[in-house]
Amino acid sequence: MRAPKLNFGDKWEYSPAPESTAIVKIDDQYGHFIGGKFVEPIEGRYFDTVNPATEETLSHVAHGTQKDVDRAVKAARKAYDKYWAPMSPRDRGKYLYRIARMIQEMAREFAVLESMDGGKPIRESRDIDVPLVAQHFFYHAGWADKLDYAFPGRRTKPLGVAGQIIPWNFPLLMASWKIAPALACGNTVVLKPAETTPLTALLLAKLFQEADLPPGVVNIVTGDGEAGAALSSHAGIDKIAFTGSTEVGKMIQRSAKTDHITLELGGKAANIIFEDAPLDQAVEGIINAIYFNQGHVCCAGSRLLVQESVHDEVVRKLDHRIQSLRVGDPLDKNTDVGAINSKAQLNRIRQLVKAGKEEGAEFHTSRCKLPERGWFYRPSYFTGVAQSHVIAQEEIFGPVLAIMTFRTPAEAVQKANNSCYGLSAGVWTDKGSKIFKTLGELNAGVVWANTFNKFDPASPFGGYKESGYGREGGKQGLAAYLEVR
C-alpha cells in the first residue's frame, strides 16, 4: 500500500540556525610547521584557501616546494634520532593521550573550522569527524607501550620518518588517521595536507605546540602537487602513506624511494538491497551511503544494486526522501548536504552527470533551492544504468547515485565485483545466512551489513585492486609503521 506524500507547505523551510564562527581565529597568513615552529616558505610564495560555501578567501597559506620538503624531512630525522626514538614507549603514549584530550577540549573550534574550509555540514564535522579524531589518538596512545604484545614472539622497530599525504574530503580525520599510528609506533612525520583544506591541520600544529610535543616530531608542509611529489619521492623518507586518487597513487608508487607504502585510493562501492531487507531502513542507509559529506567519500555507496522485485518501491521511497534533504550553509545545524569542496570538483560532477545522460540513463534530482553563492549540487540519482555506463564505472565523488537491478544473489555479487575498484560494499537483508554468504563473495576491503559508513579506529581499513593496498587502523594499521622481526 502506497503511503500518501507528506505535504507541509512552507513548513519545510526552517529558520537559519548557523553555528557561530566567533570561536575560530584564522590568521591572515600561515607558514609551514617545521621543527616545532611556523616558518616562512623558502621561495616566499603563498596561495589562497577558500570557503567553498561563500567563495571568500579565508587565509593565505605557504606554497611548499622541494626546498621546504627537504627542510621538513631533515627536521623529522633530527627529531627521530634525538627525541622520539630514544623516548620510552610509555612516554610517547602520554603525549598521544595529552593530544587526544586537547582535541576534545578544542572540539568545537576544530569542527567549525573544518566546515568553513571544507564545506561539510557542521553536524558531520562536530558529531563524526572530530570525535573520531580524538578516538584515533586515544586508541593509538594505548598501543604505544604494547607493540610487542600486538605481534607475539616477534620484535618491533619503528621505520623512521613517515611522509604522509592526505586528501580534502576528511582533512582533520585523515591527519589523525595517519599521524596517531605513526607516532605510537615511534616514527616521526612530515604531513602534506590537501591544498584546498589545510587549515585544520595547521590548527592541529598549534595544538602540538601547546602539548609541548618535541620539535620536529610532526612537520606540516602545505602546498599543491609539487610539494606532494617532492615528499613522496624524497630519499629521506622511510614510509609513505597516501590517501587520494588512484591516478596519483600510481605516480607515488612509481616514484617512491621506499618499499614501505600504504595507498588508500578510489572506490565505486556497491550497496546491495535484497527484496527481504527492511526497506525503510535500507533507504536511510542509501542516503547515508551516498549523500554523507556530499558524496566526497572514497568508500561511498555510489552504485546501488536493487533486487528487481523491489526496485520501484525503493526508488519511490528514495525519491521521496531526498526531497527532504536540505542543501546549504555548512554551518547551519539543519543542513544535510553542504558545499562541494571546490569549483573544479563541481565541474567534474557536472561532466560525469552529462555523460550519464548522454549514455541514456534517466536523471532524477532534488527540487531544493541552492544558495546563490558557493559551490553546491543537489542530491541526485540515475535509474536505467547499465554496467558499461561511465557513471557505473568512474568515481563521481559527489552526491550522485547510479541505480541498477539484479534478479539473483549470484547476479548481485557478479555485478558488485565488476569494477576496477575494491574498497567497500554494503548488503541489506533480513537473513543472517545471506549476509555471511554474500559478504564472503564480495571483493572489497570493507563490507557493511545493514548499515554503511561506520568507522572505528580498531577496525582495519583498506582496499583491493585499484583501491590500493595496505591497511590503516587496528593492529593491521600498526604493522604498516613497524619493522616486525
Side-chain angles (χ1 to χ4, degrees):
M1 181 178 174
R2 178 175 295 187
K5 282 190 175 181
L6 299 176
N7 183 2
F8 293 101
D10 60 2
K11 289 187 172 53
W12 281 119
E13 302 296 329
Y14 284 11
S15 298
E19 183 79 33
S20 171
T21 60
I23 194 172
V24 176
K25 181 182 179 303
I26 302 176
D27 296 343
D28 293 335
Q29 184 170 289
Y30 289 90
H32 303 302
F33 182 68
I34 298 176
K37 56 187 177 183
F38 285 90
V39 299
E40 295 181 0
I42 292 176
E43 295 188 3
R45 289 190 289 156
Y46 292 83
F47 64 94
D48 295 344
T49 185
V50 175
N51 183 336
T54 63
E55 303 179 49
E56 295 173 347
T57 299
L58 294 172
S59 184
H60 308 285
V61 181
H63 185 117
T65 63
Q66 177 75 55
K67 294 176 184 175
D68 297 307
V69 171
D70 286 342
R71 189 177 180 185
V73 173
K74 287 177 183 173
R77 180 65 62 188
K78 181 180 177 181
Y80 176 77
D81 294 333
K82 186 175 181 180
Y83 304 116
W84 207 242
M87 186 181 292
S88 74
R90 185 178 182 184
D91 286 342
R92 289 199 293 259
K94 289 179 179 177
Y95 274 107
L96 293 181
Y97 277 124
R98 182 184 302 173
I99 291 167
R101 288 193 295 270
M102 292 177 69
I103 288 169
Q104 288 182 316
E105 291 167 2
M106 296 175 61
R108 188 175 166 212
E109 185 175 356
F110 274 115
V112 172
L113 186 59
E114 191 77 317
S115 289
M116 291 175 70
D117 202 26
K120 67 173 57 190
I122 184 69
R123 68 179 192 174
E124 292 179 5
S125 53
R126 179 195 61 199
D127 298 342
I128 299 173
D129 290 46
V130 175
L132 275 173
V133 169
Q135 285 178 31
H136 273 275
F137 278 99
F138 275 123
Y139 174 78
H140 288 97
W143 271 119
D145 61 351
K146 304 175 189 66
L147 296 174
D148 288 341
Y149 299 102
F151 308 96
R154 306 173 74 180
R155 300 294 299 273
T156 62
K157 183 174 180 283
L159 297 175
V161 177
Q164 304 178 329
I165 303 171
I166 58 175
W168 45 260
N169 55 340
F170 292 94
L172 186 62
L173 179 57
M174 287 297 105
S176 71
W177 196 307
K178 288 179 165 49
I179 292 174
L183 298 190
C185 292
N187 305 278
T188 55
V189 166
V190 178
L191 179 83
K192 209 290 281 181
E195 59 266 37
T196 59
T197 52
L199 294 186
T200 46
L202 295 169
L203 181 59
L204 190 62
K206 290 184 177 180
L207 184 150
F208 291 150
Q209 284 181 318
E210 293 177 16
D212 202 23
L213 192 69
V217 170
V218 175
N219 307 272
I220 298 175
V221 177
T222 52
D224 57 14
E226 178 185 359
L231 180 59
S232 63
S233 62
H234 201 287
I237 293 294
D238 302 302
K239 155 78 182 178
I240 293 289
F242 170 75
T243 296
S245 71
T246 298
E247 179 185 1
V248 176
K250 290 179 178 177
M251 294 167 60
I252 288 174
Q253 187 181 31
R254 288 193 293 268
S255 64
K257 302 293 192 300
T258 174
D259 293 332
H260 297 287
I261 305 174
T262 304
L263 300 176
E264 196 266 276
L265 308 178
K268 193 69 182 176
N271 197 9
I272 302 172
I273 312 291
F274 287 105
E275 61 186 359
D276 56 13
L279 296 186
D280 288 334
Q281 290 92 324
V283 168
E284 290 306 310
I286 296 167
I287 296 291
N288 180 48
I290 183 62
Y291 304 124
F292 169 61
N293 198 26
Q294 297 77 247
H296 298 334
V297 185
C298 51
C299 54
S302 53
R303 285 186 299 152
L304 181 65
L305 300 178
V306 186
Q307 195 147 18
E308 209 169 82
S309 56
V310 293
H311 169 268
D312 292 350
E313 184 176 1
V314 169
V315 170
R316 180 176 57 78
K317 288 176 180 287
L318 175 64
D319 191 82
H320 178 68
R321 180 66 177 86
I322 68 169
Q323 303 305 333
S324 63
L325 293 177
R326 289 176 170 77
V327 182
D329 181 4
L331 290 176
D332 194 310
K333 297 158 191 151
N334 294 319
T335 294
D336 298 300
V337 180
I340 301 300
N341 184 261
S342 66
K343 189 173 183 180
Q345 182 59 28
L346 179 60
N347 289 337
R348 174 174 168 75
I349 294 169
R350 288 171 172 164
Q351 288 171 2
L352 287 168
V353 167
K354 181 182 177 186
K357 293 176 180 176
E358 291 174 349
E359 288 184 321
E362 188 174 348
F363 183 66
H364 310 262
T365 189
S366 162
R367 295 184 293 274
C368 67
K369 294 178 183 176
L370 297 184
E372 294 181 358
R373 293 196 65 185
W375 305 310
F376 293 90
Y377 201 87
R378 292 183 178 88
S380 307
Y381 65 92
F382 278 100
T383 54
V385 179
Q387 289 275 78
S388 59
H389 285 174
V390 170
I391 53 174
Q393 295 293 326
E394 290 195 20
E395 188 176 29
I396 299 175
F397 226 62
V400 183
L401 176 67
I403 302 178
M404 293 170 279
T405 60
F406 66 89
R407 291 184 177 178
T408 66
E411 184 186 0
V413 171
Q414 187 274 328
K415 286 187 172 180
N417 288 338
N418 184 20
S419 170
C420 64
Y421 299 109
L423 185 58
S424 63
V427 175
W428 294 81
T429 173
D430 197 34
K431 304 289 189 296
S433 57
K434 190 182 289 183
I435 288 174
F436 286 112
K437 185 175 190 306
T438 307
L439 299 191
E441 295 172 341
L442 292 173
N443 295 329
V446 181
V447 185
W448 291 285
N450 292 334
T451 187
F452 214 98
N453 279 337
K454 298 295 183 188
F455 306 98
D456 190 290
S459 297
F461 186 92
Y464 292 99
K465 299 188 283 188
E466 297 212 356
S467 292
Y469 55 82
R471 295 292 180 266
E472 294 183 307
K475 191 175 79 170
Q476 293 81 356
L478 295 173
Y481 286 95
L482 290 168
E483 184 179 331
V484 182
R485 299 174 178 172

